[in-house]
Amino acid sequence: MTPKFYRRFLSGATVALIAAPAFAQNTFAQNTFAQNTEAPSPQIDEASEPEASTEFMRLDPIRVPGAHSPQNEAQERLDLRAGGTSVIGADAFEDTRATTLSDVLSFAPGVLTQTRHGEETRLSIRGSGIQRGFQLRGIQLYQDGIPLNLADGGGDFQSIDPLALEFVEIWRGANALEYGSSSLGGAINFVTPTGRTAPPLALRLDAGSFGQRRGHVQLGGAHGSLDGVLGLTVSEQQGWRDQSETSATRASANLGYQLSEALEARLFLNYVDSEMELPGPLSLSEIEDDPQQAGRNYRERDAANDYTMKRVAARLSWAPVEVGEVVTSIFYSERDRYHPTVFGVLDQDARNMGLDVRGVFDFADSDATRRLVVGVAAARYLGEEDRFRNAGGERGSFRGRTDLDGRTYVAYAEYSHGLTDALTLQAGAQITRAERELDNRASPAQSYDESFDGFSPKIGILYDITEDDQVYANVSRSFEPAPFGEARVLPDLPLPDAQTATTYEIGWRRRTGGVNIEAAGFYSKIDNEFLALVDENGASLGTTNADSTVHLGFELGASLPLSDTLDLQASYLWSDFRFDDDVTFGDNDLAGIPPHSLNARLSWTPLSWLTISPMVEWRGGTTWIDHANTVGDDGYALLHLGLSGDLPGAPESGFEWFLDVRNLTDEEYISTTLVRDDVNGADSASYFPGDPRSIFGGIRWRY
């Protein structure tokens, strides 16, 4: 480990160890009180004989672990939706390397994740953002219900710390209406623990292949009306390819104060300092020659995406009556990005701010549902981008400045009405206004000031077959303007129209006795789907619109206890995305999406100190590189192996260990690709080689 890594991590760990006893004492007292008041104590007759009293003392308490945990409550809330939703707990990925969103969301139904390199991930739900070759579009990211995305809809992954999460909520497609999202992909909410759910002290140290080193410390506790969690993660990795070194420091705080029984205030603080080198895509011939090499000019020009974020957010929750709650959130962030590429240097300063007011009201006077969700939101993104020539990764001659001003205003409402105790009708709508103003000072002809208005209705039904089984169906409309990052690059390229879609969905879910099964099918008719244009070197040329496209898919997720010691977890996604009588591409498949995606893990726990978890990762069928369907990739099948358990003396000691062996058979494969119009069957620099065999391991300790 480097001295810099030691200094950053040990400084945070030292503070945590010093403060731990006080937090532990307060939390112990609180937990003892909670246990003693969990259920009314039986009344003991003072005149009872000693034998009866002794017999009473031998009785064991009956409890349901986690019955009212925040994760279970979130699952119950999402199951009120007449559409596809899911919750992924931290226990699904904490025994893995847990460095990318691919690790976090491997078993999320309907979510496609593919690692480009390092922490950079390709993320898509129902085809959202499949054209984009960098960062994120088409999915609204939240942390604790407060937006992470910029106000123009663009997003990144570097602000998320997988080790700081308690669970993740996924709202697929228009089912994210309840959070005010109208994009094709929906929303993902990353939920962090509070001082009332986090352990007083948690530590994690892990290391592995490609020079990975990481330390995590978290301190939590509660005293009276006050609770809080502080976290710090320091990581570094040399990377297995040239020009792929990464390092990051992520600090967070979640502080809450109960002002009264009806009013809670909570403050969120985040700091991220991330440095990520970019190795770039390769051609197949280059991969065959040396898959570790960086793309052309990526090393010589020190391509990177270095990023610093400072974020503060506050949330006020007011529940004056049992049937209603109003939540008001405000947020502000500053993001500085230094981004050398093979085409130049982008120096970006961005400020993002917003306000959200959301009310949830339950008017039910019987078992039938009467629930109203209503909200308004406003967000603004102000950015300054300076462009320079790339002089070996440093700023060369000045090439111009662009000022960005993006605003988004949203109003939404949804009402759920129980026609019977088992059948619920849901109807909702969202109105969106998005304003985009770009001032290109070097090339005024590329400046624009445009507004986009959208109306997104939804209607659905939810039917409880039994207490454990639900079926649902819905039809919805989505609306999405293009973010600044890809709206226009070439001077003569017109500004793309907003992408809209009508989606039909039908599904079923079952939850009982540890069994969780989710299945959904969807059909989306899309107008003006965004098509990203890139040149032969992978450089962005901007975004255009397709006339009409179709996204057809099936999503399946399952978590099944097969026996007392054997569990199965799996997610499967089938995707059939194509043009619909397009002038240029006819009925060709859309490039960039594998037809089949499967992740499956079998976990066997023969002993308390040992869990053996083989996992299969499969991408099947032909993934086309170009929309003309002239070159494709045939996918891959990988075998991973996880080992984990308690250390001797655990669980009393609180120590746990894990090993995560990736690509056990050392297969050579393509993890993901760029998307192009037409490569005419040629071998192009469109491929990201997947990681070879690697091993990661670590220990965790919870006080």
Side-chain angles (χ1 to χ4, degrees), residues 182-222:
S182 63
S183 61
L184 178 66
I188 300 177
N189 184 30
F190 299 94
V191 181
T192 60
T194 69
R196 304 187 189 280
T197 61
L201 178 62
L203 298 172
R204 170 169 168 151
L205 289 172
D206 59 56
S209 300
F210 324 130
Q212 175 167 311
R213 305 287 188 271
R214 181 169 53 173
H216 171 73
V217 58
Q218 179 180 278
L219 180 67

Side-chain angles (χ1 to χ4, degrees), residues 232-475:
L232 172 69
T233 302
V234 178
S235 63
E236 63 180 24
Q237 187 182 86
Q238 295 175 0
W240 80 278
R241 292 181 60 191
D242 295 337
Q243 193 61 26
S244 63
E245 184 174 344
T246 64
S247 65
T249 299
R250 295 180 173 91
S252 61
N254 179 340
L255 308 173
Y257 188 75
Q258 195 74 37
L259 299 167
S260 69
E261 290 186 2
L263 192 63
E264 182 195 59
R266 191 161 291 277
L267 177 69
F268 304 91
L269 302 173
N270 296 90
Y271 173 78
V272 177
D273 184 2
S274 172
E275 298 179 357
M276 182 170 61
E277 294 181 339
L278 303 179
L282 299 173
S283 66
L284 291 177
S285 60
E286 289 171 330
I287 291 174
E288 185 176 355
D289 180 58
D290 179 12
Q292 292 183 268
Q293 67 179 303
R296 184 184 306 174
N297 293 326
Y298 275 78
R299 184 172 185 177
E300 293 77 6
R301 298 182 183 177
D302 197 18
N305 186 5
D306 298 339
Y307 168 89
T308 301
M309 182 190 77
K310 290 166 283 188
R311 177 178 180 265
V312 58
R315 186 178 71 202
L316 188 67
S317 303
W318 181 45
V321 293
E322 292 184 2
V323 299
E325 181 182 38
V326 178
V327 179
T328 302
S329 303
I330 58 173
F331 60 91
Y332 175 82
S333 67
E334 294 180 353
R335 311 183 191 210
D336 300 327
R337 190 184 307 277
Y338 183 69
H339 189 20
T341 73
V342 295
F343 313 102
V345 173
L346 178 67
D347 195 345
Q348 182 186 66
D349 294 329
R351 299 175 301 283
N352 197 62
M353 63 210 76
L355 168 69
D356 181 277
V357 181
R358 177 174 175 266
V360 181
F361 307 96
D362 190 346
F363 306 108
D365 53 5
S366 64
D367 291 336
T369 301
R370 303 285 190 274
R371 186 169 185 262
L372 174 67
V373 179
V374 60
V376 294
R380 188 176 187 183
Y381 163 41
L382 296 171
E384 298 175 352
E385 297 180 346
D386 290 331
R387 299 181 300 279
F388 304 85
R389 294 189 182 278
N390 188 324
E394 302 296 330
R395 300 177 183 87
S397 58
F398 183 71
R399 299 178 63 181
R401 164 173 282 192
T402 300
D403 294 332
L404 309 173
D405 188 350
R407 308 180 190 188
T408 301
Y409 307 97
V410 173
Y412 58 94
E414 183 178 65
Y415 178 63
S416 302
H417 186 88
L419 302 176
T420 68
D421 292 350
L423 181 63
T424 301
L425 176 67
Q426 289 183 347
Q430 176 172 303
I431 299 173
T432 305
R433 181 174 179 83
E435 299 176 355
R436 305 279 188 267
E437 182 178 353
L438 183 147
D439 181 11
N440 191 322
R441 299 186 181 184
S443 303
Q446 296 188 47
S447 300
Y448 57 84
D449 185 356
E450 297 287 344
S451 297
F452 304 87
D453 296 297
F455 176 68
S456 307
K458 176 191 173 184
I459 187 168
I461 57 172
L462 177 67
Y463 182 68
D464 296 331
I465 304 174
T466 67
E467 291 184 356
D468 304 323
D469 294 88
Q470 293 179 315
V471 292
Y472 57 82
N474 66 71
V475 58

Side-chain angles (χ1 to χ4, degrees), residues 528-544:
N528 301 318
E529 178 164 3
F530 296 137
L531 300 181
L533 304 177
V534 296
D535 66 13
E536 64 277 5
N537 297 314
S540 175
L541 300 176
T543 298
T544 61

Side-chain angles (χ1 to χ4, degrees), residues 50 69 137 343 355 458 532 556 569 591 665:
S69 69
R137 173 187 33 86
F343 313 102
L355 168 69
K458 176 191 173 184
L556 176 65
Q569 196 169 17
T665 58

